[in-house]
Amino acid sequence: MEASYDVLREIIDTAKGRTLETYREALRYREIPCDSDWRRYLMWRFPPIAQAHIVKAMLAHPQGNTISDIQVTFLLDQGAKEAMAEILGVLLPEEHRLTVGELRSRLKNLPDCMPVFYERIGDEFLGKPGWTPKVFREKTDPGFPQGDSIECFSAFTAHVAVDEQGKEALVVTAHY
């Protein structure tokens, strides 16, 4: 029997609280003057700390022994993402949402000259200037059915934007 989603959320929330306490403690002794250096330090230092707190919360939870291997993977990934989003003040990553870290890992072996596309949007504006989509089939993801295709347009630009609460997110725009 697998642990319920509520149990997984309890563990993530417990671990996130402990990670934030560790962060606040480290902030007291902050000696790095440049904000970009501080962000790099946080991105290097705190994901493993968040994962350690997740493991401790799993072990301490009364239903911790019901957590499957797949659920452990989810906890380590999602919990670290949520803790880092809170610390860095960015939009909280929901499940199944691409993050900059995942994008970076997918891009690390690709050439800089490779163009970026996004999946076609049902927007009549895109057809008016005579734009035509490129058709692609998934190359490497075994979960994507072979033979299925997606229609895509070139990405216009990407930038960091903020929502109503001032939380940051990377936005790839469809058109100007």
Side-chain angles (χ1 to χ4, degrees), residues 101-119:
E102 291 165 356
L103 184 58
R104 260 192 210 111
S105 71
R106 293 179 188 178
L107 299 176
K108 69 181 173 187
N109 294 321
L110 300 178
D112 289 342
C113 61
M114 182 180 282
V116 175
F117 289 83
Y118 52 87
E119 190 165 0

Side-chain angles (χ1 to χ4, degrees), residues 5-24:
Y5 185 74
D6 291 338
V7 168
L8 301 179
R9 288 301 331 160
E10 286 173 21
I11 291 170
I12 286 175
D13 291 341
T14 299
K16 191 165 53 171
R18 292 177 183 163
T19 303
L20 293 174
E21 287 172 20
T22 304
Y23 162 72
R24 287 185 196 98

Side-chain angles (χ1 to χ4, degrees), residues 4 13 29 33 46 60 86 91 123 128 130 132 141 144 161 167:
S4 71
D13 291 341
Y29 303 105
F46 280 88
E86 292 280 340
L91 189 64
D123 184 350
K128 289 183 181 175
T132 55
D141 187 358
F144 199 93
K167 301 287 186 177

Side-chain angles (χ1 to χ4, degrees), residues 7-8 10-16 18-19 46-65 67-69 71-80 83:
V7 168
L8 301 179
E10 286 173 21
I11 291 170
I12 286 175
D13 291 341
T14 299
K16 191 165 53 171
R18 292 177 183 163
T19 303
F46 280 88
I49 290 173
Q51 291 176 341
H53 285 300
I54 290 164
V55 170
K56 289 178 182 178
M58 278 190 302
L59 293 173
H61 197 280
Q63 296 179 33
N65 61 345
I67 299 170
S68 70
D69 292 348
Q71 289 177 322
V72 170
T73 303
F74 166 78
L75 285 171
L76 293 173
D77 181 54
Q78 187 67 22

